[in-house]
Amino acid sequence: AQSVTQLGSHVSVSEGALVLLRCNYSSSVPPYLFWYVQYPNQGLQLLLKYTTGATLVKGINGFEAEFKKSETSFHLTKPSAHMSDAAEYFCAVSEGSGGFKTIFGAGTRLFVKA
Amino acid sequence: ETGVTQTPRHLVMGMTNKKSLKCEQHLGHNAMYWYKQSAKKPLELMFVYSLEERVENNSVPSRFSPECPNSSHLFLHLHTLQPEDSALYLCASRSSGGTDTQYFGPGTRLTVL
């Protein structure tokens, strides 16, 4: 069975500071890993994904994440936060073997202070 | 229009009403999903359709009834709902192959009085 744990339901950073959102996963097969972002009154939008290959994945809006198998982690980072980054972020895992189920974390709300 | 669209965007209904939510995808995908997003709870998968067949049904109460007439359209029929069913209902689609990336609509905000 797969699971996702996002550490911290709320994270607050100052504008220009490093953003670090933590995600740990559990999977019995090589996972596909995702970060989605949700802005108010909108659906989820894909930020980035890891399937195979390079473990450092770059996404949209300057975000990146690193797949660390030994730590079962897929933390999301951005060097310099912008006010427009304020949103809710979801980490997700799927089996990547043709199954249909993706397991989502509970979400982390990012606040950016001016 | 491109992507995944959902109508209506907002819906207020009484417990005795019958209403339907509609989702349409213009991405050529062949799998579609309904999720329920409630405050302070993880995203809950309700139903999955692949090639118009239901492949996942996560113990959803019978007052929610999905319908997938073709690979581009997905409906969620609602009847005799409860106030705890108030939530954001999200539709998503993806290709059966590929990298499991799901594309979400903007959601329908449902309030049950």
Side-chain angles (χ1 to χ4, degrees):
Chain A
Q2 296 179 306
S3 66
V4 176
T5 302
Q6 291 184 240
L7 300 175
S9 59
H10 296 84
V11 170
S12 183
V13 301
S14 298
E15 193 172 21
L18 171 72
V19 176
L20 171 60
L21 304 183
R22 299 178 188 273
C23 173
N24 288 91
Y25 71 91
S26 171
S27 179
S28 57
V29 298
Y32 285 4
L33 294 160
F34 306 82
W35 277 100
Y36 287 85
V37 61
Q38 185 178 31
Y39 298 102
N41 300 313
Q42 295 186 27
L44 279 67
Q45 176 186 359
L46 181 71
L47 264 183
L48 50 78
K49 63 187 174 192
Y50 168 81
T51 55
T52 58
T55 56
L56 182 62
V57 181
K58 295 187 185 297
I60 62 172
N61 301 339
F63 284 93
E64 62 183 36
E66 187 170 11
F67 169 58
K68 291 188 176 181
K69 185 178 178 180
S70 61
E71 298 177 10
T72 60
S73 69
F74 191 57
H75 302 329
L76 181 71
T77 60
K78 181 174 180 178
S80 177
H82 192 273
M83 297 296 289
S84 61
D85 295 327
E88 187 146 23
Y89 293 80
F90 295 89
C91 183
V93 62
S94 73
E95 292 181 346
S97 59
F100 292 96
K101 189 177 287 189
T102 297
I103 306 299
F104 287 84
T108 298
R109 185 164 295 279
L110 176 66
F111 297 92
V112 182
K113 300 174 291 187
Chain B
E1 195 165 3
T2 59
V4 181
T5 58
Q6 291 187 241
T7 54
R9 292 294 309 276
H10 301 271
L11 178 63
V12 179
M13 58 187 290
M15 289 190 282
T16 58
N17 291 158
K18 289 185 180 181
K19 296 286 184 184
S20 295
L21 310 185
K22 178 182 176 183
C23 176
E24 186 171 359
Q25 60 94 3
H26 308 267
L27 300 169
H29 292 163
N30 49 20
M32 297 186 77
Y33 298 71
W34 279 118
Y35 289 92
K36 177 183 179 182
Q37 187 177 33
S38 306
K40 304 186 190 304
K41 293 175 80 173
L43 210 58
E44 298 175 51
L45 177 63
M46 300 177 73
F47 303 103
V48 184
Y49 276 82
S50 173
L51 297 171
E52 300 143 43
E53 281 193 39
R54 194 185 310 177
V55 296
E56 192 82 33
N57 179 349
N58 272 4
S59 302
V60 178
S62 60
R63 56 186 184 269
F64 294 92
S65 174
E67 178 190 2
C68 187
N70 55 61
S71 59
S72 298
H73 294 86
L74 184 66
F75 295 89
L76 188 63
H77 303 300
L78 317 171
H79 65 97
T80 59
L81 294 191
Q82 304 297 311
E84 59 265 29
D85 297 322
S86 297
L88 182 68
Y89 288 83
L90 292 166
C91 174
S93 71
R94 55 161 276 200
S95 292
S96 293
T99 59
D100 296 3
T101 301
Q102 294 184 28
Y103 295 81
F104 285 80
T108 295
R109 174 68 62 185
L110 174 67
T111 303
V112 181
L113 301 176

